[in-house]
Amino acid sequence: MISNQILQNTIDGIKGITRADLIILDTDAKVIASTSKDVGNFEEAVLTFIKSPADSQVVSGHQFFKVFDDGKLEYVLLATGNSDDVYIVGKMAAFQIQGLLVAYKERFDKDNFIKNLLLDNLLLVDIYNRAKKLHIDTESKRVVYIIETKHEKDSSALETTRTLFATRNKDFITAVDEKNIIIVREVKAGEGFKEIEQMAMTVLDTLNAEAMSSVHIAIGTVVNSLKEVSRSYKEAKMALDVGKIFYADRNVVAYGNLGIGRLIYQLPLPLCKMFIKEIFPDKGPDDFDEETLSTINKFFENSLNVSETSRQLFIHRNTLVYRLDKIQKSTGLDLRVFEDAITFKIALMVVKYMKYMETLDY
């Protein structure tokens, strides 16, 4: 259904060209858009006109027109004015609204189709049949982006995104829930991950600047046909979750760059708990104070380099060695040994994952 605001903008534009006043009423004879403040009382005349077989009619000096949507009466249009061309103006306005109905219906049908495609609600035969009717290429390469907005039902972010992709008629913008905007983007020949990621950064910067919306963007992998789009969507969803757990400092996260976080995310919780109990039988990562955890993270950032870590922490080298010895004494893991460091690093990530999953249970 076309919004009343769009109908109002349409007849305002026509009046600006023709100077003829236009009024749009629904099938209950209620005014929904008008270019004149004095709309008069047309209720009885409109209801009589609706019952008549005529598609257009002159009533009390006004031109009445019926506007149909797929054979069903949707609106009644009134054209008023002193010009001899009022009939032509009204006919043109009715034709314009008719065209809007067709365009918005096609947009709705495409939007509905893409939503069902993403959610895996279509059989393979339905995908190809409906895509053909909607003139959607089934063999183009595509990639799915998920934009998570800070606020639910962020209409400004959705409209800004649609405006950004307005010239790309083979891309689709939709929303399957309250907080996520989905972009199904066609990948053109010669485009690689660099261009795909750059588009995500462009969307991020645009939404931050124009919609004043803080967002996170996740990217699936490129798929070769329409039937695989749901896979790219699922990958982007996973990337969004994994990014929240392990890469909170990133605003754009791609499924293809999740590293070990993707593996940990797919581990069953009982196995994670068993692993943590094996590595930390007595003292787990949660038992370390903030200073110790900061030291550990900085040591990992500097690739187990004692000198560089102590310099960045503004502490003496011996102080850092003392802290590492203390960690080894409490956990049995010497972080200066690569194998122990890897074990500890994975354990920290597993604990993060377990905490995240616990929050979902509440």
Side-chain angles (χ1 to χ4, degrees), residues 244-273:
K244 289 177 187 175
I245 303 169
F246 304 118
Y247 313 112
D249 57 327
R250 299 185 196 173
N251 289 320
V252 176
V253 182
Y255 178 82
N257 291 337
L258 295 179
I260 197 170
R262 178 171 55 239
L263 295 176
I264 293 173
Y265 181 78
Q266 297 179 83
L267 292 174
L269 279 177
L271 191 61
C272 292
K273 291 176 182 177

Side-chain angles (χ1 to χ4, degrees), residues 132-267:
K132 186 177 181 180
K133 288 180 181 177
L134 295 169
H135 308 291
I136 298 173
D137 186 5
T138 58
E139 299 305 318
S140 291
K141 289 187 175 182
R142 293 180 173 90
V143 65
V144 173
Y145 301 78
I146 297 180
I147 305 170
E148 184 182 68
T149 58
K150 191 174 183 180
H151 305 290
E152 293 188 359
K153 297 183 179 179
D154 195 336
S155 57
S156 62
L158 180 59
E159 287 308 312
T160 301
T161 305
R162 281 181 171 151
T163 302
L164 186 62
F165 285 80
T167 59
R168 295 178 59 97
N169 56 13
K170 292 187 178 181
D171 296 341
F172 304 99
I173 317 296
T174 188
V176 296
D177 54 37
E178 301 294 341
K179 290 187 72 174
N180 294 334
I181 300 167
I182 316 297
I183 303 172
V184 181
R185 177 176 175 266
E186 183 186 46
V187 178
K188 296 181 179 179
E191 285 188 332
F193 178 73
K194 182 180 178 182
E195 289 76 18
I196 292 170
E197 187 178 40
Q198 184 57 51
M199 177 55 74
M201 297 304 298
T202 300
V203 173
L204 181 75
D205 293 340
T206 302
L207 291 178
N208 286 340
E210 296 185 18
M212 302 296 288
S213 182
S214 177
V215 302
H216 288 87
I217 301 177
I219 311 170
T221 58
V222 176
V223 294
N224 296 315
S225 64
L226 195 63
K227 66 181 180 181
E228 297 177 306
V229 163
S230 63
R231 174 164 61 82
S232 186
Y233 170 64
K234 290 170 186 173
E235 291 169 347
K237 278 187 70 178
M238 180 187 287
L240 198 63
D241 284 343
V242 174
K244 289 177 187 175
I245 303 169
F246 304 118
Y247 313 112
D249 57 327
R250 299 185 196 173
N251 289 320
V252 176
V253 182
Y255 178 82
N257 291 337
L258 295 179
I260 197 170
R262 178 171 55 239
L263 295 176
I264 293 173
Y265 181 78
Q266 297 179 83
L267 292 174

Side-chain angles (χ1 to χ4, degrees), residues 31 69 71 74 99 266 291 314:
V31 176
D69 179 19
E74 197 69 38
Q266 297 179 83
E291 182 184 67
F314 303 103

Side-chain angles (χ1 to χ4, degrees), residues 50-69:
I50 288 172
K51 293 175 183 177
S52 75
D55 289 343
S56 64
Q57 189 174 325
V58 179
V59 180
S60 302
H62 303 293
Q63 295 283 350
F64 283 46
F65 301 89
K66 291 178 180 176
V67 180
F68 295 92
D69 179 19

Side-chain angles (χ1 to χ4, degrees), residues 106-114 134-136 172:
E106 182 176 328
R107 175 175 166 177
F108 175 78
D109 286 346
K110 283 186 177 180
D111 188 67
N112 202 34
F113 170 66
I114 293 298
L134 295 169
H135 308 291
I136 298 173
F172 304 99

Side-chain angles (χ1 to χ4, degrees), residues 333-349:
L333 297 172
D334 185 354
L335 301 189
R336 290 158 292 193
V337 177
F338 181 74
E339 186 177 339
D340 286 359
I342 287 293
T343 301
F344 199 98
K345 177 69 174 177
I346 292 173
L348 289 177
M349 294 180 73

